[in-house]
Structures are given as structure tokens and as C-alpha cells.
């Protein structure tokens, strides 16, 4: 399941992130890539500095924790510290899947869901589209600053070459309570129906059945 999350970050948060990144050092993105990804990865990533990273983590994680689409669509168990990636003219990231196991300095975790958060105006750069292969064809994403997209980490995806300007994104990976993407999609859609019923018909037996079914499916499929 591919989910877009409009305005995950608001204008003030985007401005704060740009202020934090104003003099940040960037290094070759290949330094954090696995062997296969390293052959097709051509970008730069912010070198993690503790104070700067903590500011970014506070901004991004606060938004994720309060956003219902993220919480119910991803069912997050562990969320990696974000990486900020920069693409300038000539840079791209060829087709790849994300590493299945992540975490080099802290606890290791399984990557079930990948997230890209767009940090600058799409009109400020040319190229740089994120293409994701899905069962329904290839999806092209180039969204407004503050928007995000989440998709299975097992999906083949690529970033097209930037030909003008600068593409700036924050990236993170999530281990979900429910590792199977088809089950996560079913639970997400069932929860949409559940939430509507809880608001419009809270006393109906049907609402109780759907609510109980959702809770028990999460219990059945959860992987802790």
C-alpha cells in the first residue's frame, strides 16, 4: 500500500528544518548504502551531529506521533532516526529496494515501511521524481514541501536525476507491528470504516462487531 500524507509538516516546521540545515555538512550518500544500493546511489546526506539531529527528530517525530494516517496506515513499532538527503544537478538514485535490516549505532530493526518527507517546493527543482513500482503500475511522486509518502520497503523504487535546483527530503524507515503489507492495507481500510461507524452509529451492533474485529485482527497479526 502506498499512502500519501499531505501537510505532515506545516509551514513553520519546514522553516525550522531549513534553519537547522542552513550550515549543515553533507557527505556522500554512498557511505550509508549497502553493497547493492551503493552501485546506484548518487546523492548527499547530512552528516549526523547530535544537537542538529535532536532538533530534526523532535520536529518530525512530534508530527508522526499525532498523525492518524501514519499511525493507522503504518502501525509503527520502531521508527528510525531520520536521514536528510540532498540531490543537486546530476544526482539520482537508481532502482533499488531498501535494506531489510537497519540500525548500525542503535538497536537493529526490520524495515517494513519506508517514508519520504519532501522539504522544498517542487517548482524549485526539475527532475527528482520518486518512482515506486506497485501492483497497479509505477507511481510518480513529487509533492509539496511538508507532504510525505509511505510505501513498503520491499517496493522497487528510484529517484530520477535532478537537472535544476535542489531536491531536499527527509527519510525514515519503520518496523510495523504488522509486517505483511496486504494485512496492513486491510487493517487500514477496516479502521476507516470503524472510525466512521464509531462517529455516526456508536450504539449499533454493527459498530461493535467491526470494532471488535479490528482489535482482534491487530492482536492476531501483531508481531512484537
Amino acid at each position: 500500500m502506498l499512502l500519501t500524507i499531505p501537510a505532515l509538516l506545516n509551514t513553520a516546521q519546514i522553516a525550522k528544518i531549513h534553519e537547522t540545515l542552513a550550515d549543515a555538512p553533507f557527505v556522500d550518500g554512498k557511505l550509508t548504502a549497502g553493497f547493492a544500493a551503493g552501485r546506484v546511489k548518487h546523492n548527499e546526506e547530512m552528516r549526523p551531529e547530535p544537537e542538529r539531529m535532536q532538533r530534526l527528530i523532535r520536529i518530525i517525530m512530534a508530527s508522526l506521533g499525532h498523525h492518524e494516517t501514519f499511525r493507522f496506515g503504518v502501525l509503527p513499532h520502531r521508527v528510525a532516526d531520520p536521514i536528510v538527503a540532498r540531490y543537486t544537478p546530476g544526482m539520482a538514485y537508481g532502482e533499488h529496494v531498501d535494506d531489510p535490516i537497519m540500525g548500525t549505532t542503535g538497536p537493529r530493526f526490520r524495515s517494513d515501511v519506508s517514508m519520504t518527507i519532501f522539504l522544498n517546493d517542487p517548482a524549485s527543482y526539475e527532475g527528482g521524481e520518486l518512482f515506486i513500482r506497485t501492483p497497479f503500475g509505477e507511481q510518480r511522486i513529487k509533492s509539496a514541501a511538508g507532504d510525505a509518502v509511505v510505501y513498503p520497503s520491499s517496493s522497487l523504487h528510484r529517484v530520477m536525476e535532478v537537472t535544476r535546483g535542489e531536491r531536499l527530503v527527509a527519510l525514515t524507515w519503520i518496523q510495523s507491528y504488522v509486517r505483511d503489507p496486504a494485512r496492513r492495507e486491510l487493517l487500514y481500510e477496516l479502521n476507516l470504516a470503524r472510525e466512521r461507524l464509531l462517529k455516526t452509529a456508536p450504539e449499533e451492533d454493527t459498530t461493535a462487531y467491526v470494532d471488535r474485529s479490528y482489535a482482534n485482527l491487530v492482536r492476531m497479526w501483531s508481531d512484537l
Side-chain angles (χ1 to χ4, degrees):
M1 179 174 61
L2 184 154
L3 278 177
T4 55
I5 306 178
L8 174 68
L9 301 177
N10 60 37
T11 304
Q13 289 173 314
I14 290 292
K16 191 66 176 176
I17 288 175
H18 279 271
E19 178 186 323
T20 301
L21 298 176
D23 58 348
F26 280 76
V27 297
D28 189 342
K30 291 182 188 294
L31 296 174
T32 61
F35 176 74
R39 295 183 300 169
V40 296
K41 186 176 185 179
H42 182 33
N43 65 7
E44 296 177 328
E45 293 176 357
M46 189 193 80
R47 188 167 63 209
E49 297 175 343
E51 185 177 345
R52 201 186 307 267
M53 281 300 303
Q54 284 306 311
R55 291 202 296 269
L56 294 172
I57 289 168
R58 280 197 299 270
I59 295 169
I60 293 171
M61 294 305 177
S63 291
L64 291 181
H66 291 93
H67 204 288
E68 289 193 355
T69 300
F70 175 78
R71 285 170 35 228
F72 291 110
V74 175
L75 299 171
H77 179 37
R78 294 188 178 94
V79 181
D81 289 345
I83 290 173
V84 176
R86 180 171 70 186
Y87 293 76
T88 55
M91 293 185 177
Y93 200 156
E95 194 166 65
H96 65 286
V97 297
D98 291 330
D99 288 345
I101 304 297
M102 295 192 175
T104 54
T105 57
R108 295 173 70 76
F109 66 96
R110 186 184 65 244
S111 62
D112 296 319
V113 181
S114 301
M115 167 176 269
T116 298
I117 306 171
F118 297 89
L119 298 179
N120 53 357
D121 183 352
S124 68
Y125 62 98
E126 292 180 0
E129 296 90 349
L130 172 63
F131 279 88
I132 304 171
R133 287 199 200 180
T134 77
F136 305 103
E138 198 166 57
Q139 301 295 311
R140 169 190 178 275
I141 302 107
K142 185 177 180 180
S143 297
D147 290 359
V149 58
V150 294
Y151 49 95
S153 299
S154 56
S155 303
L156 277 167
H157 56 285
R158 69 189 192 277
V159 177
M160 300 301 291
E161 181 180 341
V162 170
T163 58
R164 178 186 64 83
E166 178 181 278
R167 178 185 190 263
L168 195 66
V169 293
L171 309 165
T172 190
W173 295 267
I174 303 100
Q175 179 173 327
S176 175
Y177 286 111
V178 177
R179 74 164 71 192
D180 183 84
R183 291 178 175 179
R184 285 198 306 273
E185 183 171 5
L186 188 154
L187 288 170
Y188 176 68
E189 293 177 348
L190 181 60
N191 184 65
L192 292 177
R194 168 180 168 266
E195 290 286 321
R196 175 65 64 87
L197 288 170
L198 287 169
K199 291 175 182 175
T200 60
E203 305 302 326
E204 295 287 337
D205 288 345
T206 303
T207 303
Y209 295 150
V210 172
D211 185 43
R212 187 165 66 245
S213 294
Y214 175 80
N216 285 331
L217 283 172
V218 172
R219 191 186 336 274
M220 183 186 302
W221 290 340
S222 289
D223 178 19
L224 300 181

Short mmCIF file of all heavy atoms in Angstrom, two decimals, residues 42-89:
data_model
loop_
_atom_site.label_atom_id
_atom_site.label_comp_id
_atom_site.label_asym_id
_atom_site.label_seq_id
_atom_site.Cartn_x
_atom_site.Cartn_y
_atom_site.Cartn_z
N HIS A 42 23.46 8.05 -5.81
CA HIS A 42 24.28 9.24 -6.08
C HIS A 42 23.56 10.45 -5.50
O HIS A 42 22.79 11.12 -6.18
CB HIS A 42 24.53 9.40 -7.57
CG HIS A 42 25.41 10.56 -7.93
ND1 HIS A 42 26.45 10.99 -7.13
CD2 HIS A 42 25.40 11.40 -9.00
CE1 HIS A 42 27.04 12.03 -7.68
NE2 HIS A 42 26.42 12.31 -8.81
N ASN A 43 23.79 10.68 -4.22
CA ASN A 43 23.22 11.84 -3.55
C ASN A 43 24.13 12.23 -2.39
O ASN A 43 25.22 11.67 -2.23
CB ASN A 43 21.78 11.57 -3.07
CG ASN A 43 21.70 10.50 -1.99
OD1 ASN A 43 22.71 10.01 -1.48
ND2 ASN A 43 20.50 10.10 -1.64
N GLU A 44 23.69 13.18 -1.60
CA GLU A 44 24.41 13.58 -0.39
C GLU A 44 23.48 13.47 0.80
O GLU A 44 22.26 13.65 0.66
CB GLU A 44 24.93 15.02 -0.52
CG GLU A 44 25.95 15.21 -1.62
CD GLU A 44 26.38 16.66 -1.77
OE1 GLU A 44 25.53 17.56 -1.52
OE2 GLU A 44 27.53 16.89 -2.14
N GLU A 45 24.05 13.19 1.96
CA GLU A 45 23.26 13.10 3.19
C GLU A 45 23.89 13.96 4.28
O GLU A 45 25.12 14.08 4.34
CB GLU A 45 23.15 11.65 3.65
CG GLU A 45 22.35 10.78 2.70
CD GLU A 45 22.33 9.33 3.10
OE1 GLU A 45 22.99 8.97 4.11
OE2 GLU A 45 21.68 8.53 2.40
N MET A 46 23.04 14.55 5.09
CA MET A 46 23.54 15.37 6.19
C MET A 46 24.34 14.50 7.16
O MET A 46 23.88 13.43 7.56
CB MET A 46 22.37 16.03 6.93
CG MET A 46 22.82 17.06 7.95
SD MET A 46 21.48 17.56 9.06
CE MET A 46 21.49 16.18 10.21
N ARG A 47 25.54 14.95 7.49
CA ARG A 47 26.33 14.25 8.49
C ARG A 47 25.66 14.42 9.85
O ARG A 47 25.37 15.55 10.27
CB ARG A 47 27.75 14.80 8.52
CG ARG A 47 28.68 13.97 9.43
CD ARG A 47 30.13 14.34 9.19
NE ARG A 47 30.39 15.74 9.53
CZ ARG A 47 31.33 16.48 8.96
NH1 ARG A 47 32.07 15.99 8.00
NH2 ARG A 47 31.51 17.73 9.33
N PRO A 48 25.35 13.33 10.53
CA PRO A 48 24.60 13.44 11.80
C PRO A 48 25.44 14.09 12.90
O PRO A 48 26.49 13.57 13.29
CB PRO A 48 24.25 12.00 12.14
CG PRO A 48 25.25 11.16 11.41
CD PRO A 48 25.62 11.93 10.17
N GLU A 49 25.00 15.22 13.38
CA GLU A 49 25.60 15.90 14.52
C GLU A 49 24.55 15.89 15.63
O GLU A 49 23.38 16.24 15.38
CB GLU A 49 25.99 17.33 14.16
CG GLU A 49 27.05 17.40 13.07
CD GLU A 49 27.33 18.83 12.63
OE1 GLU A 49 26.50 19.72 12.93
OE2 GLU A 49 28.37 19.04 11.99
N PRO A 50 24.90 15.49 16.85
CA PRO A 50 23.90 15.23 17.89
C PRO A 50 22.88 16.35 18.11
O PRO A 50 21.67 16.10 18.11
CB PRO A 50 24.76 14.99 19.14
CG PRO A 50 26.04 14.45 18.61
CD PRO A 50 26.27 15.16 17.30
N GLU A 51 23.34 17.58 18.28
CA GLU A 51 22.41 18.66 18.57
C GLU A 51 21.48 18.93 17.40
O GLU A 51 20.26 19.10 17.56
CB GLU A 51 23.19 19.94 18.93
CG GLU A 51 22.28 21.09 19.35
CD GLU A 51 23.08 22.31 19.77
OE1 GLU A 51 24.30 22.20 20.02
OE2 GLU A 51 22.47 23.39 19.84
N ARG A 52 22.04 18.98 16.20
CA ARG A 52 21.23 19.24 15.00
C ARG A 52 20.23 18.09 14.77
O ARG A 52 19.07 18.31 14.45
CB ARG A 52 22.15 19.38 13.79
CG ARG A 52 21.51 20.14 12.62
CD ARG A 52 22.43 20.11 11.40
NE ARG A 52 23.77 20.57 11.67
CZ ARG A 52 24.19 21.82 11.52
NH1 ARG A 52 23.33 22.75 11.13
NH2 ARG A 52 25.45 22.15 11.75
N MET A 53 20.70 16.86 14.97
CA MET A 53 19.82 15.72 14.79
C MET A 53 18.67 15.74 15.77
O MET A 53 17.52 15.43 15.41
CB MET A 53 20.61 14.41 14.94
CG MET A 53 21.41 14.03 13.72
SD MET A 53 20.39 13.78 12.24
CE MET A 53 19.25 12.52 12.80
N GLN A 54 18.93 16.10 17.01
CA GLN A 54 17.86 16.13 18.01
C GLN A 54 16.79 17.14 17.64
O GLN A 54 15.59 16.89 17.86
CB GLN A 54 18.45 16.44 19.40
CG GLN A 54 19.16 15.27 20.05
CD GLN A 54 18.29 14.03 20.12
OE1 GLN A 54 17.14 14.09 20.56
NE2 GLN A 54 18.84 12.90 19.69
N ARG A 55 17.18 18.28 17.08
CA ARG A 55 16.18 19.26 16.64
C ARG A 55 15.31 18.69 15.54
O ARG A 55 14.08 18.85 15.55
CB ARG A 55 16.87 20.56 16.19
CG ARG A 55 17.52 21.34 17.31
CD ARG A 55 17.70 22.80 16.93
NE ARG A 55 18.62 22.98 15.81
CZ ARG A 55 19.93 23.16 15.93
NH1 ARG A 55 20.49 23.18 17.14
NH2 ARG A 55 20.70 23.34 14.87
N LEU A 56 15.93 18.04 14.57
CA LEU A 56 15.16 17.44 13.48
C LEU A 56 14.25 16.32 13.98
O LEU A 56 13.09 16.22 13.56
CB LEU A 56 16.11 16.90 12.41
CG LEU A 56 16.94 17.93 11.64
CD1 LEU A 56 17.97 17.24 10.76
CD2 LEU A 56 16.04 18.82 10.79
N ILE A 57 14.77 15.48 14.85
CA ILE A 57 13.98 14.37 15.38
C ILE A 57 12.75 14.89 16.13
O ILE A 57 11.64 14.37 15.97
CB ILE A 57 14.85 13.47 16.29
CG1 ILE A 57 15.86 12.70 15.44
CG2 ILE A 57 13.98 12.51 17.10
CD1 ILE A 57 16.95 12.02 16.25
N ARG A 58 12.93 15.93 16.93
CA ARG A 58 11.79 16.47 17.69
C ARG A 58 10.70 16.97 16.75
O ARG A 58 9.51 16.73 16.98
CB ARG A 58 12.26 17.62 18.60
CG ARG A 58 12.92 17.15 19.88
CD ARG A 58 12.97 18.28 20.91
NE ARG A 58 13.74 19.41 20.43
CZ ARG A 58 15.05 19.56 20.62
NH1 ARG A 58 15.73 18.62 21.26
NH2 ARG A 58 15.68 20.62 20.16
N ILE A 59 11.09 17.68 15.70
CA ILE A 59 10.09 18.23 14.77
C ILE A 59 9.36 17.10 14.05
O ILE A 59 8.11 17.08 13.99
CB ILE A 59 10.77 19.15 13.74
CG1 ILE A 59 11.36 20.39 14.43
CG2 ILE A 59 9.77 19.59 12.66
CD1 ILE A 59 12.28 21.21 13.55
N ILE A 60 10.09 16.17 13.49
CA ILE A 60 9.48 15.14 12.65
C ILE A 60 8.71 14.13 13.48
O ILE A 60 7.56 13.79 13.15
CB ILE A 60 10.56 14.45 11.79
CG1 ILE A 60 11.12 15.45 10.76
CG2 ILE A 60 10.01 13.20 11.10
CD1 ILE A 60 12.32 14.95 9.99
N MET A 61 9.28 13.66 14.57
CA MET A 61 8.61 12.63 15.36
C MET A 61 7.35 13.16 16.04
O MET A 61 6.37 12.42 16.21
CB MET A 61 9.57 12.06 16.41
CG MET A 61 10.74 11.30 15.80
SD MET A 61 10.21 9.98 14.67
CE MET A 61 11.78 9.38 14.08
N ALA A 62 7.34 14.43 16.40
CA ALA A 62 6.13 15.00 17.01
C ALA A 62 4.98 14.96 16.01
O ALA A 62 3.84 14.63 16.37
CB ALA A 62 6.39 16.43 17.46
N SER A 63 5.27 15.26 14.74
CA SER A 63 4.22 15.23 13.72
C SER A 63 3.77 13.80 13.44
O SER A 63 2.57 13.54 13.28
CB SER A 63 4.73 15.88 12.43
OG SER A 63 4.89 17.26 12.61
N LEU A 64 4.70 12.87 13.37
CA LEU A 64 4.33 11.48 13.10
C LEU A 64 3.44 10.93 14.21
O LEU A 64 2.45 10.25 13.95
CB LEU A 64 5.58 10.61 12.97
CG LEU A 64 6.46 10.84 11.74
CD1 LEU A 64 7.64 9.88 11.76
CD2 LEU A 64 5.67 10.68 10.46
N GLY A 65 3.80 11.22 15.46
CA GLY A 65 3.07 10.67 16.58
C GLY A 65 1.63 11.12 16.66
O GLY A 65 0.78 10.42 17.23
N HIS A 66 1.31 12.28 16.08
CA HIS A 66 -0.04 12.82 16.17
C HIS A 66 -0.86 12.62 14.89
O HIS A 66 -2.02 13.03 14.84
CB HIS A 66 0.00 14.32 16.50
CG HIS A 66 0.48 14.60 17.89
ND1 HIS A 66 1.80 14.86 18.19
CD2 HIS A 66 -0.18 14.65 19.07
CE1 HIS A 66 1.93 15.07 19.49
NE2 HIS A 66 0.75 14.94 20.05
N HIS A 67 -0.26 12.02 13.86
CA HIS A 67 -0.95 11.94 12.58
C HIS A 67 -1.65 10.58 12.44
O HIS A 67 -1.01 9.54 12.43
CB HIS A 67 0.03 12.14 11.42
CG HIS A 67 -0.65 12.64 10.19
ND1 HIS A 67 -1.48 11.84 9.43
CD2 HIS A 67 -0.65 13.85 9.59
CE1 HIS A 67 -1.94 12.52 8.41
NE2 HIS A 67 -1.46 13.76 8.48
N GLU A 68 -2.98 10.60 12.30
CA GLU A 68 -3.75 9.36 12.29
C GLU A 68 -3.46 8.50 11.06
O GLU A 68 -3.44 7.27 11.15
CB GLU A 68 -5.25 9.67 12.39
CG GLU A 68 -5.67 10.18 13.76
CD GLU A 68 -7.18 10.17 13.93
OE1 GLU A 68 -7.89 9.86 12.95
OE2 GLU A 68 -7.64 10.46 15.05
N THR A 69 -3.26 9.13 9.90
CA THR A 69 -2.97 8.33 8.71
C THR A 69 -1.69 7.55 8.90
O THR A 69 -1.61 6.35 8.55
CB THR A 69 -2.85 9.24 7.47
OG1 THR A 69 -4.08 9.94 7.27
CG2 THR A 69 -2.52 8.43 6.22
N PHE A 70 -0.67 8.18 9.48
CA PHE A 70 0.58 7.47 9.74
C PHE A 70 0.36 6.36 10.76
O PHE A 70 0.77 5.21 10.55
CB PHE A 70 1.65 8.44 10.23
CG PHE A 70 2.93 7.76 10.63
CD1 PHE A 70 3.84 7.34 9.66
CD2 PHE A 70 3.24 7.54 11.96
CE1 PHE A 70 5.03 6.71 10.02
CE2 PHE A 70 4.41 6.90 12.33
CZ PHE A 70 5.31 6.49 11.35
N ARG A 71 -0.29 6.67 11.86
CA ARG A 71 -0.44 5.69 12.94
C ARG A 71 -1.23 4.46 12.50
O ARG A 71 -0.85 3.32 12.77
CB ARG A 71 -1.11 6.34 14.15
CG ARG A 71 -0.16 7.27 14.92
CD ARG A 71 -0.86 8.10 15.97
NE ARG A 71 -1.94 7.42 16.63
CZ ARG A 71 -3.16 7.96 16.81
NH1 ARG A 71 -3.43 9.17 16.35
NH2 ARG A 71 -4.10 7.29 17.44
N PHE A 72 -2.34 4.68 11.79
CA PHE A 72 -3.20 3.55 11.42
C PHE A 72 -2.78 2.91 10.11
O PHE A 72 -3.07 1.74 9.87
CB PHE A 72 -4.66 3.99 11.38
CG PHE A 72 -5.22 4.32 12.73
CD1 PHE A 72 -5.53 5.62 13.09
CD2 PHE A 72 -5.44 3.31 13.65
CE1 PHE A 72 -6.04 5.91 14.35
CE2 PHE A 72 -5.96 3.58 14.91
CZ PHE A 72 -6.25 4.89 15.27
N GLY A 73 -2.10 3.66 9.23
CA GLY A 73 -1.65 3.08 7.98
C GLY A 73 -0.35 2.30 8.12
O GLY A 73 -0.13 1.32 7.40
N VAL A 74 0.49 2.71 9.06
CA VAL A 74 1.80 2.10 9.23
C VAL A 74 1.85 1.16 10.43
O VAL A 74 2.58 0.18 10.42
CB VAL A 74 2.88 3.20 9.36
CG1 VAL A 74 4.24 2.62 9.67
CG2 VAL A 74 2.94 4.03 8.08
N LEU A 75 1.06 1.44 11.46
CA LEU A 75 1.09 0.67 12.71
C LEU A 75 2.53 0.58 13.23
O LEU A 75 3.11 -0.51 13.35
CB LEU A 75 0.48 -0.72 12.52
CG LEU A 75 -0.99 -0.74 12.09
CD1 LEU A 75 -1.43 -2.15 11.71
CD2 LEU A 75 -1.88 -0.18 13.19
N PRO A 76 3.14 1.73 13.54
CA PRO A 76 4.58 1.74 13.82
C PRO A 76 4.95 1.10 15.15
O PRO A 76 4.31 1.33 16.17
CB PRO A 76 4.89 3.25 13.85
CG PRO A 76 3.59 3.90 14.24
CD PRO A 76 2.52 3.06 13.62
N HIS A 77 5.98 0.29 15.11
CA HIS A 77 6.57 -0.30 16.31
C HIS A 77 7.89 0.37 16.64
O HIS A 77 8.12 0.79 17.77
CB HIS A 77 6.77 -1.80 16.09
CG HIS A 77 7.40 -2.52 17.25
ND1 HIS A 77 7.13 -2.23 18.57
CD2 HIS A 77 8.30 -3.55 17.28
CE1 HIS A 77 7.83 -3.03 19.36
NE2 HIS A 77 8.56 -3.82 18.61
N ARG A 78 8.78 0.50 15.64
CA ARG A 78 10.03 1.23 15.78
C ARG A 78 10.18 2.17 14.59
O ARG A 78 9.91 1.77 13.46
CB ARG A 78 11.23 0.28 15.85
CG ARG A 78 11.29 -0.60 17.08
CD ARG A 78 12.62 -1.34 17.13
NE ARG A 78 12.74 -2.16 18.32
CZ ARG A 78 12.42 -3.46 18.37
NH1 ARG A 78 11.99 -4.07 17.28
NH2 ARG A 78 12.54 -4.14 19.49
N VAL A 79 10.62 3.38 14.85
CA VAL A 79 10.84 4.37 13.79
C VAL A 79 12.30 4.80 13.85
O VAL A 79 12.80 5.21 14.91
CB VAL A 79 9.92 5.60 13.95
CG1 VAL A 79 10.15 6.59 12.81
CG2 VAL A 79 8.45 5.16 14.00
N ALA A 80 13.00 4.70 12.74
CA ALA A 80 14.41 5.07 12.69
C ALA A 80 14.58 6.58 12.76
O ALA A 80 13.69 7.34 12.34
CB ALA A 80 15.05 4.55 11.40
N ASP A 81 15.71 7.03 13.28
CA ASP A 81 16.04 8.45 13.21
C ASP A 81 16.09 8.87 11.75
O ASP A 81 16.61 8.13 10.90
CB ASP A 81 17.40 8.73 13.87
CG ASP A 81 17.35 8.58 15.38
OD1 ASP A 81 16.24 8.54 15.95
OD2 ASP A 81 18.44 8.49 15.99
N PRO A 82 15.57 10.04 11.42
CA PRO A 82 15.52 10.45 10.01
C PRO A 82 16.90 10.74 9.44
O PRO A 82 17.84 11.10 10.16
CB PRO A 82 14.65 11.72 10.03
CG PRO A 82 14.81 12.24 11.43
CD PRO A 82 14.96 11.04 12.31
N ILE A 83 17.00 10.58 8.14
CA ILE A 83 18.16 10.98 7.35
C ILE A 83 17.71 12.10 6.41
O ILE A 83 16.62 12.03 5.84
CB ILE A 83 18.71 9.80 6.53
CG1 ILE A 83 19.37 8.76 7.44
CG2 ILE A 83 19.70 10.27 5.47
CD1 ILE A 83 19.78 7.49 6.71
N VAL A 84 18.51 13.14 6.27
CA VAL A 84 18.21 14.21 5.32
C VAL A 84 19.09 14.01 4.10
O VAL A 84 20.32 13.95 4.22
CB VAL A 84 18.42 15.60 5.93
CG1 VAL A 84 18.19 16.68 4.88
CG2 VAL A 84 17.49 15.81 7.12
N ALA A 85 18.45 13.89 2.94
CA ALA A 85 19.19 13.65 1.70
C ALA A 85 19.02 14.85 0.77
O ALA A 85 17.95 15.45 0.69
CB ALA A 85 18.69 12.38 1.01
N ARG A 86 20.09 15.14 0.05
CA ARG A 86 20.10 16.27 -0.89
C ARG A 86 20.53 15.78 -2.26
O ARG A 86 21.47 15.01 -2.40
CB ARG A 86 21.07 17.33 -0.38
CG ARG A 86 21.18 18.57 -1.26
CD ARG A 86 21.98 19.66 -0.57
NE ARG A 86 23.40 19.32 -0.46
CZ ARG A 86 24.28 20.07 0.21
NH1 ARG A 86 23.88 21.17 0.84
NH2 ARG A 86 25.56 19.71 0.26
N TYR A 87 19.81 16.26 -3.27
CA TYR A 87 20.14 15.96 -4.66
C TYR A 87 20.34 17.29 -5.39
O TYR A 87 19.46 18.14 -5.38
CB TYR A 87 19.01 15.20 -5.36
CG TYR A 87 18.76 13.81 -4.84
CD1 TYR A 87 18.10 13.59 -3.62
CD2 TYR A 87 19.16 12.69 -5.57
CE1 TYR A 87 17.86 12.32 -3.15
CE2 TYR A 87 18.92 11.40 -5.10
CZ TYR A 87 18.27 11.22 -3.89
OH TYR A 87 18.03 9.95 -3.42
N THR A 88 21.50 17.47 -5.99
CA THR A 88 21.78 18.63 -6.83
C THR A 88 21.90 18.16 -8.27
O THR A 88 21.89 16.95 -8.54
CB THR A 88 23.06 19.34 -6.35
OG1 THR A 88 24.13 18.39 -6.32
CG2 THR A 88 22.88 19.91 -4.95
N PRO A 89 22.01 19.07 -9.24
CA PRO A 89 22.00 18.64 -10.64
C PRO A 89 23.01 17.53 -10.94
O PRO A 89 24.17 17.57 -10.53
CB PRO A 89 22.34 19.93 -11.39
CG PRO A 89 21.70 20.99 -10.55
CD PRO A 89 21.96 20.55 -9.13
#
